[in-house]
């Protein structure tokens, strides 16, 4: 019985680990600085016309939405993580008006490129 539980635990662990890392990707994004209650980040080198939201995986990471100084553009970031399955609004996102749901990229690593 203990061996069976251990084998099931190993199988489940491998499945969870592989499903989490399989969808992980690295993106270069830049801040759009558009005046609307909507997603402000554009993925570089993709033909996707829709902006995305960035959401940090934990509070120890730099908050991408707090980096822009209000003057200096372009602002480019390199982020590693994965897209959430459903359109939405990131946790803690605040803006004037009603934010529009969009794709949310949950990042686990962040680096300022420019």
């Amino acid at each position: 019985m203990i061996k069976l539980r251990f084998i099931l635990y190993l199988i489940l662990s491998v499945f969870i680990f592989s499903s989490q890392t399989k969808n992980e990707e690295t993106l270069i994004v830049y801040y759009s600085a558009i005046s609307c209650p909507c997603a402000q980040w554009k993925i570089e080198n993709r033909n996707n016309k829709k902006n995305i939201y960035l959401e940090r995986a934990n509070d120890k990471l730099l908050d991408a939405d707090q980096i822009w100084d209000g003057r200096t553009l372009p602002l480019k970031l390199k982020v590693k993580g994965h897209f959430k399955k459903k359109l939405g609004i990131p946790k803690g996102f605040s803006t004037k008006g009603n934010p529009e749901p969009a794709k949310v990229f949950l990042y686990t690593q962040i680096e300022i490129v420019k």
Side-chain angles (χ1 to χ4, degrees):
M1 186 68 171
I2 294 175
K3 286 183 180 182
L4 180 60
R5 285 185 185 172
F6 180 73
I7 291 171
L8 288 173
Y9 174 77
L10 283 177
I11 292 170
L12 185 60
S13 297
V14 169
F15 176 76
I16 290 171
F17 179 77
S18 66
S19 67
Q20 287 177 344
T21 57
K22 185 168 51 171
N23 297 330
E24 197 167 68
E25 58 185 306
T26 301
L27 302 176
I28 301 293
V29 296
Y30 60 92
Y31 191 68
S32 295
I34 52 179
S35 61
C36 74
C38 56
Q40 298 285 320
W41 296 95
K42 182 73 80 179
I43 303 171
E44 186 175 70
N45 296 329
R46 291 209 182 160
N47 291 330
N48 186 359
K49 296 184 186 272
K50 297 193 181 231
N51 286 3
I52 65 169
Y53 289 110
L54 296 179
E55 180 181 328
R56 57 189 174 165
N58 63 61
D59 291 341
K60 293 180 182 179
L61 294 168
L62 189 60
D63 186 349
D65 290 326
Q66 301 299 319
I67 297 172
W68 188 51
D69 62 10
R71 299 180 308 264
T72 311
L73 289 174
L75 170 59
K76 283 188 179 184
L77 304 176
K78 181 179 180 181
V79 290
K80 184 176 184 178
H82 67 276
F83 282 101
K84 290 185 171 184
K85 293 184 182 198
K86 296 182 179 180
L87 299 181
I89 299 161
K91 287 188 284 183
F93 183 78
S94 65
T95 186
K96 294 178 183 176
N98 294 325
E100 302 169 11
K103 290 180 86 172
V104 178
F105 189 80
L106 184 69
Y107 62 90
T108 56
Q109 294 177 7
I110 183 170
E111 175 185 337
I112 298 173
V113 176
K114 189 175 187 180

